[in-house]
Amino acid sequence: MSLAQRTPAEFHDLVVAGDHVAVARAISLVENGASAALHSALFPRTGRAFTIGITGPPGAGKSTLVDQLAAEYRKRGLTVGVLAVDPSSPFTRGALLGDRVRMRSTPDDQGLFIRSMANRGHVGGLALAAPSAIRVLDAAGFDRVLVETVGVGQSEVDVVGTVDCTVVVEVPGLGDVVQTMKAGLMEIADRFVVNKADREGASRLAGDLRRMVRERHRGDAKPTVTMTQAQNGTGVDELADSLEQFRDHLIDSGALDRRREENLAREVAAFVGEYARRRLIGDDLRQLPKEMLRDLRERTRDPEGIAAGIVDAALESSREEVSDVRLTADRKPR
Ligand SMILES: Nc1nc2c(ncn2[C@@H]2O[C@H](COP(=O)(O)OP(=O)(O)OP(=O)(O)O)[C@@H](O)[C@H]2O)c(=O)[nH]1
Ligand SMILES: [Mg+2]
């Protein structure tokens, strides 16, 4: 039976059973923003997977590393879902980095699912679609979910705010620890990886990172620094060990629940913004009232002031509606 012939409930059951075709379809629905029923059906089934974001500059070897890490987890008997979140257009990136690695699932391994996600202009963009796609993989029962994304500061996608653990991948020759600090990576990294350890300067970079962590990091779970050669898998088992240690720490200390609660609350805030925007002004910005467009053009009111006005007016009128309803109810004859 094809997916199209299934009822929504049957479809959801297939996703939860980890059926690769159904999972792929569910992620497409999420990407296209047409999935409210799917979200509410799957959400209660989530929270089991440990989700790991792998971030770093273009060409650092993230895909190669994710590939190897997924293989390492499979060796350990764990199932893995992989999401490569790619905010840039295939035209610029593909041409720029002709040697980028594309990950592929092995068709006969039901325990490994790989999918890439690009911004196809859906409302809210990847920032809102990515956490939902991660949850599809979580609901599908994958033990570990790996999410590849380019580093902060270069991307509108804040995958970091949606995963349980963030790995920052650095490579020798692309920068130093001062840049790491400036880019705010110290704050987001739970684990550092120095990839391309076969290259000159790798040991020095790792040493500098370790020193920086010792000096600057507060809290009990200091980020580790692991050197890897993703190309041949060297260091990947050590990385998996350190990720599993971090997971144990998060669970034992109760920090995992706190982190997830914070992430979900942040997502709620993002959705409030998105829904309010959709409800109040829609997708076609030329549909803004003519006098607002004129005020903007003539620079008599600034964008923030107009936005605040729109939201305040909507809240005001809904408050009036509510009190109307109450008045009517009060007047009901007994
Ligand atoms: N020398 C060396 N090259 C590596 C290593 N790991 C990956 N590479 C190479 O680096 C290039 C880029 O690797 P990718 O895995 O595509 O890097 P990426 O970070 O996913 O790149 P984008 O997704 O385009 O940002 C490829 O040619 C890899 O073969 C390594 O440990 N040593
Ligand atoms: Mg990649």
Side-chain angles (χ1 to χ4, degrees):
M1 206 194 295
S2 83
L3 275 185
Q5 294 166 288
R6 305 271 183 179
T7 66
E10 284 171 338
F11 172 54
H12 298 156
D13 286 347
L14 280 173
V15 174
V16 169
D19 177 90
H20 282 204
V21 178
V23 171
R25 171 91 188 113
I27 294 178
S28 299
L29 286 173
V30 162
E31 267 182 323
N32 298 328
S35 49
L38 182 70
H39 292 313
S40 54
L42 294 186
F43 189 65
R45 316 299 292 256
T46 60
R48 257 202 61 235
F50 186 61
T51 60
I52 302 167
I54 287 117
T55 186
K62 300 178 294 297
S63 299
T64 317
L65 193 66
V66 165
D67 231 13
Q68 295 276 3
L69 191 58
E72 176 63 28
Y73 273 131
R74 292 299 293 128
K75 249 192 263 166
R76 298 180 182 203
L78 293 166
T79 58
V80 184
V82 174
L83 201 64
V85 178
D86 193 342
S88 60
S89 108
F91 299 107
T92 53
R93 285 283 283 296
L96 215 68
L97 291 159
D99 66 343
R100 72 194 301 223
V101 168
R102 299 227 165 262
M103 291 170 284
R104 269 175 228 277
S105 320
T106 7
D108 48 329
D109 183 4
Q110 283 296 306
L112 175 64
F113 177 91
I114 297 178
R115 167 68 182 254
S116 69
M117 241 178 121
N119 192 348
R120 302 219 183 106
H122 123 68
V123 187
L126 275 173
L128 288 177
S132 304
I134 294 170
R135 278 199 291 273
V136 169
L137 296 175
D138 184 348
F142 293 105
D143 299 314
R144 300 290 176 269
V145 173
L146 309 178
V147 187
E148 175 191 346
T149 176
V150 290
V152 280
Q154 298 156 13
S155 148
E156 81 277 22
V157 184
D158 194 6
V159 169
V160 169
T162 72
V163 289
D164 297 328
C165 165
T166 299
V167 178
V168 171
V169 183
E170 307 218 3
V171 285
L174 270 190
D176 54 22
V177 287
V178 178
Q179 277 167 284
T180 303
M181 296 286 300
K182 280 191 188 149
L185 294 175
M186 194 66 225
E187 285 74 34
I188 65 157
D190 299 306
R191 293 299 184 240
F192 281 105
V193 165
V194 174
N195 189 39
K196 308 201 182 181
D198 50 307
R199 292 212 179 152
E200 208 193 304
S203 304
R204 198 179 55 232
L205 176 59
D208 289 349
L209 283 170
R210 288 194 181 107
R211 208 164 310 119
M212 180 185 76
V213 167
R214 260 200 314 275
E215 287 166 10
R216 308 283 176 128
H217 196 271
R218 313 200 189 294
D220 45 355
K222 287 191 189 294
T224 54
V225 180
T226 307
M227 291 177 75
T228 60
Q229 294 177 43
Q231 244 176 352
N232 62 20
T234 307
V236 173
D237 54 345
E238 196 186 317
L239 175 62
D241 284 345
S242 119
L243 289 168
E244 292 306 296
Q245 273 161 18
F246 187 65
R247 176 174 176 273
D248 292 344
H249 158 79
L250 285 178
I251 293 171
D252 295 345
S253 64
L256 185 62
D257 288 337
R258 280 200 301 280
R259 209 174 250 225
R260 288 180 170 178
E261 190 178 284
E262 253 171 54
N263 287 349
L264 290 167
R266 206 172 313 113
E267 213 185 313
V268 169
F271 269 114
V272 167
E274 179 55 28
Y275 271 91
R277 194 184 69 76
R278 244 189 263 170
R279 288 289 301 274
L280 297 176
I281 59 181
D283 290 332
D284 185 357
L285 299 182
R286 290 162 306 183
Q287 297 285 305
L288 279 182
K290 294 227 161 18
E291 60 286 2
M292 283 183 192
L293 292 173
R294 186 203 56 218
D295 290 349
L296 286 168
R297 209 166 43 238
E298 293 175 356
R299 306 201 172 243
T300 50
R301 288 175 75 202
D302 68 306
E304 187 180 346
I306 290 194
I310 291 174
V311 172
D312 288 345
L315 289 177
E316 205 48 54
S317 70
S318 75
R319 210 169 288 138
E320 276 158 22
E321 268 167 39
V322 169
S323 59
D324 277 354
V325 171
R326 283 212 197 100
L327 285 176
T328 334
D330 286 348
R331 268 190 238 117
K332 245 202 278 184
R334 308 215 159 174

